[in-house]
Amino acid sequence: MLSLHLRELRMMDFKARYSTHKITGSSSSTTTTQSEEEMGGLRRGPWTAEEDFNLINYIATHGEGRWNSLARCAGLKRTGKSCRLRWLNYLRPDVRRGNITLEEQLMILELHSRWGNRWSKIAQHLPGRTDNEIKNYWRTRVQKHAKQLKCDVNSKQFKDTMRYLWMPRLIERIQAANTTAASSTTAACTIGSGTTTEATHHHHLNDNTNTDVGSGQWVVAHVGVFGGDFGVAQVIPTTYNTPETWNTAASSESFGTHIWPNDHFSLSVNPDNLQPEQVGYSESMISPSGYFNQVLDFQAMEHDNNLWVEGGYTSDNLWKVEDMWFNM
DNA sequence: AAGATCTTCAACCGCTTAGAA
DNA sequence: CTTCTAAGCGGTTGAAGATCT
């Protein structure tokens, strides 16, 4: 019964995919780099509609896993690896593709600054996004910007540009978008049956984590407490300096000068301790009905106020790249 | 209009890791 | 403990579409 229902859903989704995507819907054979004989009768290259259909049907009935035997039993002339990849990156019901939102971009930049090319780990924090898509996004978009600035994507210059310029600008744009959205709705937002309370957390790190920059470092943590389905606090921490400085035990004294209004509250969380499902970023924090409060602090930029010139960036190419970045 | 070049992203490859035998 | 197999991960490729000249 359940599998039947799932199969119906999958077929609806299947039809939708083939009506909108460039992958061939033809069941005719696609060009392959090697003959099937050379591959031991195995096919390579783009999947056909028929193959997708078979895979979807088989998984709807038998479930996923044991990919090699699944491929055989489903009558697919593909490796188990290929089937797994096709399912996870394309056919899975909850997979989201295209239109990476500003919030997702911010999340990717932030998590990449922390974890580097750990695409799978990053993807866990972006519901519905695959490691492959994030990796492609990074290569095609982010690296393009580095190229525009004539610097290496791993260079300090580029990382600082992201941290001090693009990420704050992304936040501004997210804020602006949400302000617009919020103005057309009620002030108090609800998700499901629960209410949402959020605060922006803004503080200077204590000195012992901060010796290289003095008091110039700053951290912003978006804090959301959700009722309804979640029933847990959801915290989206954002650091625009050294990610290692996430402080799991930050007590009130570690927050130094509080400059946020009295109705905001303090909380600190180590993102490593968060389960992916707890970081319902795109579905909650940044939904149009969400409340994405943010305080911007440009002290750190002041600290590096000569970076842009000394680093060889002219204001012209910085803004040109920024336009490119935000008008994707 | 047509060829050249660029961009995107699905898919593959090789390596590593996990866990069962 | 070792070996084997499946799954997962990150880097890379190449076809197809988009854009430029």
Side-chain angles (χ1 to χ4, degrees), chain A residues 81-82 94 120 187 196 226 230 233 243-244:
Chain A
K81 228 175 177 181
S82 179
D94 55 335
S120 180
T196 298
F226 296 87
F230 296 95
E244 314 77 64

Side-chain angles (χ1 to χ4, degrees), chain A residues 78 90 96 117 143 150 155 251 319 325:
Chain A
R78 296 272 181 176
Y90 195 89
R96 293 171 59 219
N117 297 357
Q143 290 194 347
K150 296 182 172 65
S155 68
S251 56
W319 293 115
W325 186 272

Side-chain angles (χ1 to χ4, degrees), chain A residues 6-21 56 87 90-95 97:
Chain A
L6 177 61
R7 196 182 305 181
E8 284 165 6
L9 287 173
R10 299 299 310 125
M11 273 312 298
M12 287 165 64
D13 189 46
F14 178 76
K15 285 172 184 169
R17 283 175 201 277
Y18 280 98
S19 68
T20 54
H21 290 101
I56 289 165
W87 174 254
Y90 195 89
L91 299 173
R92 208 161 34 108
D94 55 335
V95 72
R97 293 157 60 246

